[in-house]
């Protein structure tokens, strides 16, 4: 192999090598393009998830606020109702106590009258 043949051989080898590098470069560009596309899609989906999460957080905060307000209202109504019921029960107990005292007085009077009648009759 003389010098010209060697140079042609090397030129062919460099041309093949250059062609392979160009093909590799195109393949890498294509792969990176696919990766970028997938990352862009993932980024979009992540943004959507963030948006939905924010929406859920706002909904939860609203729900907690409304629920707390409603529970407070129910508790307040229950307390007021319980106070009214207790007051009514206390009033009824006082009325019954007064009636029992009156009946005790009548019982004592009747008992005394019965004893007096027994003495007179027997």
């Amino acid at each position: 192999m003389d010098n010209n043949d060697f140079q042609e051989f090397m030129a062919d080898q460099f041309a093949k090598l250059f062609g392979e590098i160009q093909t590799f470069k195109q393949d890498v560009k294509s792969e990176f393009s696919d990766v970028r596309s997938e990352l862009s899609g993932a980024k979009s989906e992540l943004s959507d998830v963030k948006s939905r999460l924010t929406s859920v957080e706002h909904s939860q905060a609203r729900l907690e606020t409304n629920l707390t307000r409603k529970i407070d209202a129910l508790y307040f109504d229950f307390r007021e109702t319980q106070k009214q019921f207790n007051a009514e029960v206390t009033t009824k107990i006082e009325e019954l106590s007064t009636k029992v005292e009156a009946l005790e007085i009548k019982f004592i009077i009747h008992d005394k009258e019965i004893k007096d009648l027994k003495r007179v009759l027997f």
Side-chain angles (χ1 to χ4, degrees), residues 47-60:
S47 177
D48 185 47
V49 167
K50 275 183 164 181
S51 173
R52 288 182 180 186
L53 182 58
T54 302
S55 175
V56 167
E57 287 173 346
H58 289 303
S59 295
Q60 182 181 0

Side-chain angles (χ1 to χ4, degrees), residues 12-30:
D12 287 341
Q13 292 300 318
F14 282 130
K16 287 180 186 177
L17 183 60
F18 182 73
E20 288 180 21
I21 289 173
Q22 290 298 344
T23 304
F24 178 73
K25 188 177 174 183
Q26 290 296 8
D27 290 347
V28 167
K29 277 186 180 180
S30 175

Side-chain angles (χ1 to χ4, degrees), residues 41-92:
K43 187 176 180 181
S44 174
E45 289 176 14
L46 182 59
S47 177
D48 185 47
V49 167
K50 275 183 164 181
S51 173
R52 288 182 180 186
L53 182 58
T54 302
S55 175
V56 167
E57 287 173 346
H58 289 303
S59 295
Q60 182 181 0
R62 247 189 341 268
L63 178 69
E64 287 175 358
T65 301
N66 290 340
L67 187 60
T68 301
R69 213 177 289 141
K70 289 176 182 178
I71 287 173
D72 286 345
L74 286 173
Y75 178 71
F76 179 76
D77 286 348
F78 172 76
R79 274 190 17 215
E80 289 303 312
T81 303
Q82 189 65 44
K83 284 179 183 177
Q84 289 174 354
F85 178 75
N86 289 349
E88 289 174 12
V89 168
T90 301
T91 303
K92 294 288 183 186

Side-chain angles (χ1 to χ4, degrees), residues 109-122:
I109 292 171
H110 287 183
D111 194 39
K112 198 175 197 184
E113 288 175 354
I114 289 173
K115 285 181 184 178
D116 289 344
L117 282 175
K118 278 185 180 180
R119 281 188 204 152
V120 171
L121 293 175
F122 296 114

Side-chain angles (χ1 to χ4, degrees), residues 26-44:
Q26 290 296 8
D27 290 347
V28 167
K29 277 186 180 180
S30 175
E31 289 294 322
F32 276 131
S33 177
D34 291 346
V35 168
R36 280 186 184 154
S37 175
E38 289 178 22
L39 283 176
S40 178
K43 187 176 180 181
S44 174

